[in-house]
């Protein structure tokens, strides 16, 4: 059996996934959708959220994360932030509205630790090979984590810590089998390509499952929130702010998050024979070869409408813990 098959079998037999979300929540509302469905999956007893970290320099990005977690009754979830210059001036259309219009204990990144600090503290407390990272944005935090030295949280450096504690990364990024000279956003935006390349090449040999641009593009969700969810729901407001009332949005990040918790069947098939080659510009090509790299990418299987129905159903679930902080 290949390493990837063994890893998937191990995940299938594990307890509920322990998930760290690494999100660029700001530019697109599908990040909101991803965190909302993950909270709903936690309500279902299907997952545990260990932490949420933000990977652009937007000052109020963590405020939107806090709004959503508060809505679901989970202010206790640690939040961390990348605080550098990357994409710091790209707020999107919903973040400041959510922070201003909905209650939350955190409004901006002055109130939270650095993302790498949160990563290292949370990972060090987990059992070995137990953590799933849902990477639904850029590699600023993962890059810095891999380069991080030992600290008070762990005597391991970042690469060693990831190898010890992480079982898989569900990774929204790239196009498959190739981006063909037109790099995907998460892999390439604003010069992030060299960081993407470093992170893909230097992540230890844990399971890395890539969910490409083509996977989420046809899974249209979120518009149902306008008329079937209340005004108290920040997920609803984010989708309306971004696309207008009743309009759907492709589900790049929700699809990746759904995979991170429920796995690939019955939604997708996987291709694991080869590895993902990423250039300094973020252009990527799947290089066919033996299934020995512990990498794979999702391939469409179920209809996009079926998967969209699953995601929309989760988006419409009322929080179990709301108001019980």
């Amino acid at each position: 059996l290949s390493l990837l098959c063994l890893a998937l079998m191990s995940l299938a037999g594990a307890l509920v996934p322990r998930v760290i979300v690494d999100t660029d929540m700001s530019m697109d509302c599908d990040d909101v959708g991803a965190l909302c469905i993950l909270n709903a999956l936690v309500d279902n007893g299907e997952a545990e959220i260990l932490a949420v970290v933000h990977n652009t320099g937007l000052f109020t990005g963590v405020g939107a994360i806090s709004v959503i977690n508060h809505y679901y009754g989970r202010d206790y979830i640690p939040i961390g932030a990348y605080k550098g210059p990357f994409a710091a001036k790209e707020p999107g259309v919903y973040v400041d509205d959510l922070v201003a219009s909905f209650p939350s204990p955190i409004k901006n990144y002055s109130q939270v630790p650095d993302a790498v600090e949160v990563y290292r503290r949370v990972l060090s407390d987990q059992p070995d090979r137990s953590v799933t990272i849902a990477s639904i944005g850029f590699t600023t935090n993962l890059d810095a984590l891999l380069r991080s030295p030992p600290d008070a949280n762990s005597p391991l450096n970042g690469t060693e810590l990831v190898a010890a504690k992480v079982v898989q990364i569900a990774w929204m990024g790239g196009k498959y089998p190739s981006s063909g000279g037109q790099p995907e956003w998460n892999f390439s935006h604003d010069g992030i390509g060299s960081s993407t390349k470093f992170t893909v090449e230097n992540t230890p040999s844990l399971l890395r499952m890539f969910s490409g641009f083509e996977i989420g593009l046809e899974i249209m969700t979120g518009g149902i929130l306008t008329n079937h969810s209340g005004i108290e729901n920040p997920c609803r407001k984010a989708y309306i702010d971004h696309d207008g009332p009743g309009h759907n949005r492709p589900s790049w990040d929700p699809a990746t998050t759904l995979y991170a918790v429920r796995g690939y069947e019955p939604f997708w098939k996987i291709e694991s024979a080869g590895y993902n080659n990423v250039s300094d510009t973020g252009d990527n090509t799947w290089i066919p070869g033996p299934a020995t790299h512990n990498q794979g990418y999702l391939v469409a299987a179920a209809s996009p409408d079926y998967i969209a129905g699953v995601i929309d159903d989760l988006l419409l679930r009322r929080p179990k813990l709301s108001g019980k902080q």
Side-chain angles (χ1 to χ4, degrees):
L1 289 175
S2 70
L3 288 172
L4 184 138
C5 288
L6 290 170
L8 290 170
M9 289 169 62
S10 175
L11 285 167
L15 299 175
V16 298
R18 296 180 170 101
V19 183
I20 297 175
V21 181
D22 198 330
T23 171
D24 63 334
M25 191 177 293
S26 60
M27 303 177 200
D28 201 319
C29 63
D30 70 324
D31 291 85
V32 173
L35 187 55
C36 290
I37 71 164
L38 182 56
N39 270 283
L41 288 162
V42 175
D43 282 348
N44 285 353
E46 296 183 60
E48 178 184 353
I49 304 174
L50 297 178
V52 185
V53 292
H54 193 262
N55 56 50
T56 80
L58 183 65
F59 188 53
T60 52
V62 294
I65 292 169
S66 184
V67 164
I68 294 163
N69 286 344
H70 182 82
Y71 173 67
Y72 284 94
R74 296 191 172 94
D75 289 341
Y76 60 83
I77 295 173
I79 296 175
Y82 163 81
K83 301 181 182 183
F86 177 77
K89 304 298 183 182
E90 301 183 51
V93 297
Y94 63 84
V95 169
D96 288 345
D97 186 15
L98 294 192
V99 174
S101 303
F102 294 86
S104 66
I106 293 167
K107 305 299 182 184
N108 58 66
Y109 71 45
S110 71
Q111 299 171 271
V112 301
D114 182 86
V116 173
E117 161 65 21
V118 172
Y119 256 129
R120 291 189 60 87
R121 172 164 46 84
V122 171
L123 286 175
S124 67
D125 287 341
Q126 302 310 308
D128 287 351
R129 304 282 291 175
S130 68
V131 177
T132 291
I133 295 173
S135 177
I136 53 173
F138 305 105
T139 52
T140 50
N141 293 329
L142 287 172
D143 183 327
L145 172 62
L146 292 172
R147 299 177 193 266
S148 64
D151 63 3
N153 294 300
S154 173
L156 304 178
N157 66 36
T159 302
E160 294 166 339
L161 185 61
V162 169
K165 301 298 183 177
V166 179
V167 65
Q168 75 159 334
I169 300 176
W171 203 325
M172 197 281 118
K175 301 175 183 178
Y176 300 91
S178 174
S179 57
Q182 296 182 313
E184 186 271 329
W185 178 268
N186 284 355
F187 273 18
S188 65
H189 178 61
D190 200 21
I192 199 69
S194 60
S195 172
T196 306
K197 175 180 173 66
F198 171 85
T199 307
V200 170
E201 291 180 351
N202 289 278
T203 302
S205 187
L206 48 95
L207 173 59
R208 286 144 290 167
M209 186 63 70
F210 296 96
S211 178
F213 176 82
E214 69 285 351
I215 290 296
L217 181 63
E218 296 184 352
I219 304 170
M220 302 297 292
T221 60
I224 196 170
L225 288 166
T226 298
N227 293 323
H228 294 85
S229 187
I231 60 172
E232 74 284 355
N233 186 344
C235 311
R236 172 184 181 273
K237 192 65 169 73
Y239 275 83
I240 291 173
D241 283 351
H242 193 274
D243 291 298
H247 289 176
N248 284 320
R249 182 69 180 159
S251 299
W252 295 292
D253 295 344
T256 305
T257 304
L258 183 65
Y259 160 77
V261 175
R262 290 189 176 173
Y264 69 94
E265 293 180 318
F267 311 111
W268 301 283
K269 300 179 290 186
I270 56 171
E271 173 58 68
S272 61
Y275 68 95
N276 199 8
N277 183 63
V278 182
S279 76
D280 281 329
T281 64
D283 207 29
N284 80 287
T285 300
W286 186 261
I287 306 299
T292 57
H293 297 275
N294 219 13
Q295 298 184 28
Y297 66 88
L298 299 180
V299 179
S303 74
D305 286 347
Y306 170 72
I307 303 171
V310 172
I311 291 171
D312 274 340
D313 177 69
L314 290 167
L315 286 173
L316 290 172
R317 299 286 179 91
R318 293 185 62 82
K320 286 187 175 180
L321 301 178
S322 187
K324 299 178 182 179
Q325 299 297 323

